[in-house]
């Protein structure tokens, strides 16, 4: 019989109203990030590349904040068919080199890395927003003190990204 374990933990969410229009926010956000290339990753795996080769490739592709867009779902077009225009995109953001360090400590962190960032426009007067759960807080739910430093590193990277986008 499968064993089920359940945990309850607090996650800290940050939301930043950028003062930008939604299209301007999306453009600025994507400009500050590198783009994960699944074909390049597949070539590295197929070639059985050394870890140093992987690190170089990730560094070459990562944006100025050391982060990549790993995945993207523009939820707005389909949900807007409900009758109300909604502008909302979900991004998976991360760095495979940092993720490897995290997953080597606790593979359950695969639930959290890459992490999610939501860009949306709720029509508020302060423009489109960036929302994300702070990496240090979701990694803390795993109760592994050795993840604290890596969570804080990811916090700094996403904070730098948000500051660059919202300026």
């Amino acid at each position: 019989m499968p064993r089920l374990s359940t945990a309850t933990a607090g996650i800290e969410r940050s939301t930043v109203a950028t003062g930008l229009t939604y299209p301007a926010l999306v453009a600025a956000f994507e400009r500050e990030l590198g783009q994960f290339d699944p074909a390049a990753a597949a070539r590295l795996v197929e070639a059985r590349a050394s870890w140093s080769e992987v690190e170089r490739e990730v560094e070459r592709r990562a944006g100025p904040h050391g982060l990549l867009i790993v995945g993207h779902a523009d939820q707005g077009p389909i949900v807007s068919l409900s009758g109300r225009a909604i502008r909302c995109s979900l991004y998976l953001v991360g760095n495979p080199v940092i993720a490897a360090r995290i997953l080597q400590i606790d593979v359950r962190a695969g639930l959290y890395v890459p992490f999610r960032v939501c860009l949306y426009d709720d029509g508020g007067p302060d423009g489109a927003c960036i929302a994300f759960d702070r990496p240090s807080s979701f990694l803390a739910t795993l109760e592994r003190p050795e993840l604290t430093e890596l969570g804080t590193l990811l916090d700094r990277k996403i904070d730098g990204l948000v500051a660059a986008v919202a300026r």
Side-chain angles (χ1 to χ4, degrees):
M1 172 166 229
R3 187 174 65 90
L4 172 68
S5 66
T6 306
T8 302
I11 303 272
E12 182 182 343
R13 178 163 301 119
S14 294
T15 302
V16 178
T18 64
L20 300 171
T21 65
Y22 181 76
L25 172 57
V26 169
F29 183 79
E30 291 182 355
R31 191 171 42 249
E32 291 291 327
L33 291 164
Q35 191 74 39
F36 179 76
D37 181 355
R43 284 191 297 276
L44 289 167
V45 170
E46 188 176 306
R48 302 183 84 111
S50 69
W51 188 244
S52 62
E53 289 175 87
V54 173
E55 290 174 320
R56 281 193 300 275
E57 182 67 14
V58 169
E59 184 176 335
R60 186 177 75 74
R61 290 186 179 279
H65 308 284
L67 296 171
L68 299 142
I69 296 171
V70 178
H72 172 236
D74 184 353
Q75 300 176 78
I78 189 71
V79 299
S80 292
L81 295 175
S82 68
R84 178 175 163 234
I86 296 174
R87 291 178 158 187
C88 178
S89 285
L90 176 67
Y91 290 84
L92 291 177
V93 175
N95 179 311
V97 173
I98 297 170
R101 292 174 58 196
I102 291 169
L103 295 171
Q104 287 168 0
I105 294 167
D106 193 326
V107 72
R108 296 174 302 162
L111 198 60
Y112 304 118
V113 294
F115 59 95
R116 301 177 323 159
V117 178
C118 181
L119 307 184
Y120 66 89
D121 186 351
D122 61 5
D126 296 322
C129 297
I130 301 174
F132 58 94
D133 294 336
R134 297 196 67 72
S136 60
S137 75
F138 57 67
L139 289 176
T141 67
L142 299 172
E143 299 177 329
R144 298 290 300 264
E146 56 268 51
L147 290 173
T148 302
E149 178 185 334
L150 293 165
T152 302
L153 171 65
L154 289 173
D155 283 353
R156 285 194 309 266
K157 288 184 175 297
I158 189 67
D159 287 342
L161 167 64
V162 170
V165 168
R167 68 170 96 115

